């Protein structure tokens, strides 16, 4: 490699290190202090209109990408030149880096609402660039084997810079979305949920309404998608007569309803807890679908999230009048980020993987024969109504209790069909009807309880539910795949 190329590369990597570190510092001092974001903002604000129009005309919708690529090329050229300078005239190169840092700092400090602290990321970045440039220039000037060290250090510093930059940007967007969520004011519902009667809660069962912090979470996201509500859009398209796109502001103007709905994961094992009941605030999806006017053949509504996950719901289910909601609120607050902020789907009666798309950005009307959503090629059914299930919450497996009256309690669900009865069996004795607590609607779980006169010894308690169609929970044990576990939950306990 020619000495001049090495020197230039050292300059480019030093600039990369500066930007990477600056992103990390910016994540701590606030989004707009990032030199990239600040300089970008200044440029966008000051580009003369004809240049902007030219950019849009030439690059079309990609004008932002073109701006970014153009800026990166300019920067790389400048950094290459600085690297060349560093070989012969070190202090000129330092001045070049300082100028680079100063531009970032001034841009950041003069952005609307910024304080002097906004200069810090640019200045720290410039300092790091000087150190990196010093190190690489020294190595590059020496004879081999130092040259090999030059290449190694170059690579390591470049890699660390990329990781730091990406990590910093991720942290920054996380903070920005958290702040945006805190500022959200949810609209008042056109229809409130009825006040909960104390009769919904059975002693010994989990809370009838699951607090957000305790609500189960299932998704494929390695890092939680950070979706800014103000750039959020939902596109309804595909086999429709009138494709539509709505923004966050459009959505919040639609009539909202409040509904208690229990959602469950298909992966829930018998007796397990991948299920929760919340008060959702949202707008019925039916009205939006009616506007888009799906073609009669479009039997599948595929929902797609900001991170590309998909699920397919029967179009008919979304339009049959049930409370299928495009939801924005959960238990009185905006959706928590990990539960889909700003917008998700909630559909009573179907497992989450075929209905409850979080961070939703798209609904594409299509046919089940034409598209398999995320979990279908992985061995799960395309159609998945929630199976009738029940669970004993107390006593717990392995509990030791004194003889006398023991309250057996838990939850039962057959969402959207509703629970008709719950029965409990002690050992191989007769099935006894449990007392069924009230429930707001067929779309939520029911709690139940039974007083049992416990005698000394080891006992097995079993539960089974029957839905309002008269179908009793399936006894045969089956694993969750492909469309939901079956079997009766039982616990073994000891009475002293
Ligand atoms: N974007 C996205 N949405 C998703 C998923 C996902 O992986 N990605 N998982 C689904 C599954 S399998 C379930 S059970 C529910 C869980 O919702 P929760 O995490 O709010 O409880 O979300 C559904 N929505
Ligand atoms: Mo799930």
């Amino acid at each position: 490699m020619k000495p001049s190329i090495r020197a230039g590369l050292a300059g480019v990597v030093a600039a990369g290190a500066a930007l990477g570190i600056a992103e990390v510092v910016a994540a701590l001092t606030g989004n707009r202090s990032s030199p990239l974001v600040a300089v970008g903002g200044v440029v966008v604000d000051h580009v003369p209109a004809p240049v902007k129009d030219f950019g849009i005309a030439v690059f079309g919708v990609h004008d932002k990408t073109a701006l970014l690529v153009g800026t990166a090329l300019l920067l790389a050229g400048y950094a290459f030149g600085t690297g060349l300078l560093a070989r012969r005239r070190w202090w000129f190169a330092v001045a070049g880096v300082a100028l680079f840092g100063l531009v970032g700092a001034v841009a950041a400090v003069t952005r609307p609402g910024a304080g002097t602290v906004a200069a810090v990321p640019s200045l720290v970045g410039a300092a790091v660039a000087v150190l990196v440039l010093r190190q690489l220039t020294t190595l590059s000037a020496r004879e081999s084997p130092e040259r090999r060290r030059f290449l190694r250090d170059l690579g390591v510093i470049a890699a660390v810079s990329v990781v730091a930059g990406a990590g910093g940007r991720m942290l920054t967007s996380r903070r920005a979305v958290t702040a945006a969520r805190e500022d959200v004011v949810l609209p008042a519902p056109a229809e409130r949920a009825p006040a909960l009667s104390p009769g919904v809660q059975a002693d010994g069962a989990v809370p009838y309404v699951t607090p957000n912090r305790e609500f189960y979470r299932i998704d494929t996201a390695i890092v939680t998608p950070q979706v800014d509500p103000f750039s959020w859009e939902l596109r309804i398209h595909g086999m429709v007569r009138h494709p539509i796109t709505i923004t966050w502001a459009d959505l919040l103007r639609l009539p909202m309803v409040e509904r208690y709905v229990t959602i469950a994961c298909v992966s829930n094992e018998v007796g397990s807890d991948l299920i929760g009941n919340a008060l959702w605030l949202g707008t019925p999806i039916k009205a939006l679908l009616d506007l888009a006017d799906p073609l009669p053949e479009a039997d599948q509504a595929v929902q797609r999230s900001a991170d590309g996950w998909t699920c397919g719901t029967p179009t008919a289910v979304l339009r049959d009048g049930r409370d299928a909601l495009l939801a924005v609120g959960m238990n009185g607050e905006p959706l928590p980020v990990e539960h889909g902020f700003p917008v998700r789907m909630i559909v009573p009666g179907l497992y989450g993987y075929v209905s409850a798309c979080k961070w939703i950005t798209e609904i594409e009307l299509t046919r089940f024969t034409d598209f398999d959503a995320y979990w279908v090629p992985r061995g799960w059914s395309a159609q998945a109504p929630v199976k009738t299930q029940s669970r004993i919450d107390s006593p717990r497996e392995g509990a030791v209790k004194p003889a006398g009256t023991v309250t057996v309690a838990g939850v039962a669900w057959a969402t959207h069909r509703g629970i008709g009865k719950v029965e409990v069996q002690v050992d191989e004795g007769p099935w006894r009807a449990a007392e069924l607590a009230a429930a707001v609607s067929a779309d939520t779980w029911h709690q139940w309880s039974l007083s049992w006169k416990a005698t000394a010894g080891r006992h097995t308690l079993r539960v089974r539910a029957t839905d309002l169609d008269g179908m009793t929970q399936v006894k045969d044990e089956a694993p969750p795949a492909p469309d939901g576990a079956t079997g009766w939950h039982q616990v073994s306990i000891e009475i002293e």
Side-chain angles (χ1 to χ4, degrees):
M1 198 188 287
K2 283 219 251 151
S4 57
I5 304 270
R6 284 206 304 273
L9 278 183
V12 172
V13 167
L19 295 177
I21 295 300
E23 286 305 319
V24 172
V25 180
L28 307 174
T29 53
N31 181 25
R32 280 170 303 184
S33 61
S34 148
L36 278 180
V37 174
V39 173
V42 169
V43 171
V44 168
D45 290 355
H46 292 90
V47 170
V51 177
K52 229 181 234 168
D53 294 345
F54 170 79
I56 293 171
V58 174
F59 302 112
V61 287
H62 298 303
D63 62 322
K64 274 217 186 69
T65 319
L67 180 76
L68 278 175
V69 171
T71 311
L73 286 177
L74 265 175
L75 243 156
Y78 181 86
F80 198 92
T82 310
L84 285 178
L85 264 183
R87 278 205 306 167
R88 307 251 178 274
R89 297 173 183 271
W90 170 248
W91 289 104
F92 280 65
V94 172
V97 175
L99 182 66
F100 171 77
L102 216 59
V103 168
V106 169
V109 170
T110 54
R111 294 310 286 158
T116 43
V117 69
V120 174
S122 300
L123 299 181
V124 172
V128 166
V130 170
L131 292 178
V132 168
L133 196 57
R134 175 88 265 180
Q135 163 78 354
L136 292 178
T137 306
T138 312
L139 284 179
S140 138
R142 299 217 181 111
E143 293 310 311
S144 50
E146 294 288 315
R147 294 240 175 106
R148 212 166 301 139
R149 245 193 90 191
F150 166 78
L151 278 183
R152 193 199 63 190
D153 283 17
L154 189 88
V156 168
I157 294 170
V160 168
S161 309
V162 168
V163 170
R169 287 251 38 100
M170 222 166 70
L171 274 176
T172 300
S173 85
R174 177 160 304 222
R175 279 176 46 136
V177 168
T178 304
R181 179 178 177 274
E182 273 157 18
D183 287 344
V184 165
V185 180
L186 292 177
E191 262 178 58
R192 287 207 172 276
L196 283 184
S197 91
V200 296
Q201 184 67 46
D203 255 2
V206 294
Y208 177 72
V209 179
T210 316
N212 289 355
R213 265 172 300 97
E214 286 159 35
F215 210 94
Y216 82 97
R217 172 189 176 179
I218 294 287
D219 52 63
T220 59
I222 296 165
V223 284
T224 310
Q226 303 291 315
V227 181
D228 172 13
F230 296 101
S231 49
W232 175 87
E233 282 184 347
L234 176 72
R235 200 155 71 90
I236 305 183
H237 66 111
M239 296 169 68
V240 297
R241 291 199 183 82
H242 307 292
I244 54 178
T245 299
I246 61 165
T247 65
W248 175 243
D250 297 336
L251 177 64
L252 294 192
R253 275 193 294 268
L254 296 174
M256 296 275 165
V257 299
E258 261 183 338
R259 295 287 185 264
Y260 287 97
V261 177
T262 297
I263 64 168
C265 184
V266 69
S267 299
N268 197 41
E269 304 272 359
V270 171
S272 198
D273 55 4
L274 298 179
I275 176 164
N277 183 38
L279 176 63
W280 307 98
L281 175 74
T283 195
I285 189 64
K286 179 180 189 305
L288 284 172
L289 286 177
D290 287 351
L291 275 180
D293 199 4
L295 303 181
E297 318 82 274
D299 61 357
Q300 177 175 224
V302 172
Q303 301 146 52
R304 196 168 276 111
S305 65
D307 62 338
W309 184 82
T310 52
C311 68
T313 310
T315 313
V317 163
L318 299 182
R319 305 181 82 187
D320 71 2
R322 76 181 73 193
D323 290 319
L325 303 178
L326 206 48
V328 295
M330 181 178 184
N331 290 330
E333 41 177 287
L335 292 176
V337 174
E338 59 277 18
H339 291 293
F341 180 77
V343 187
R344 76 175 302 170
M345 191 78 93
I346 290 293
V347 183
L350 302 187
Y351 285 119
Y353 84 105
V354 291
S355 69
C357 188
K358 305 192 275 189
W359 314 290
I360 189 172
T361 58
E362 224 183 285
I363 301 177
E364 181 177 353
L365 278 294
T366 177
R367 286 183 291 216
F368 277 102
T369 50
D370 290 346
F371 184 81
D372 283 339
Y374 186 88
W375 284 112
V376 176
R378 292 168 172 83
W380 298 80
S381 299
Q383 305 282 343
V386 174
K387 293 181 177 173
T388 302
Q389 272 291 341
S390 52
R391 183 181 78 197
I392 299 170
D393 287 345
S394 66
R396 296 245 160 234
E397 172 67 32
V400 180
K401 301 230 161 212
T405 303
V406 169
T407 301
V408 187
V411 288
W413 61 94
T415 47
H416 202 56
R417 295 184 302 282
I419 287 291
K421 71 175 173 189
V422 172
E423 297 163 290
V424 174
Q425 183 188 39
V426 179
D427 302 321
E428 298 306 317
W431 285 95
R432 290 173 51 200
E435 192 181 321
L436 207 53
V440 168
S441 75
D443 294 340
T444 78
W445 56 16
H446 270 272
Q447 313 219 319
W448 57 266
S449 63
L450 179 90
S451 273
W452 167 48
K453 292 267 178 302
T455 53
R458 292 199 60 84
H459 296 286
T460 300
L461 306 173
R462 253 179 227 102
V463 65
R464 71 178 185 198
T466 299
D467 70 18
L468 283 176
D469 296 339
M471 296 289 290
T472 296
Q473 179 177 340
V474 174
K475 177 185 182 186
D476 292 340
E477 285 173 23
D483 63 358
T486 59
W488 291 341
H489 187 213
Q490 65 175 53
V491 298
S492 299
I493 59 165
E494 192 167 329
I495 302 294
E496 297 181 320

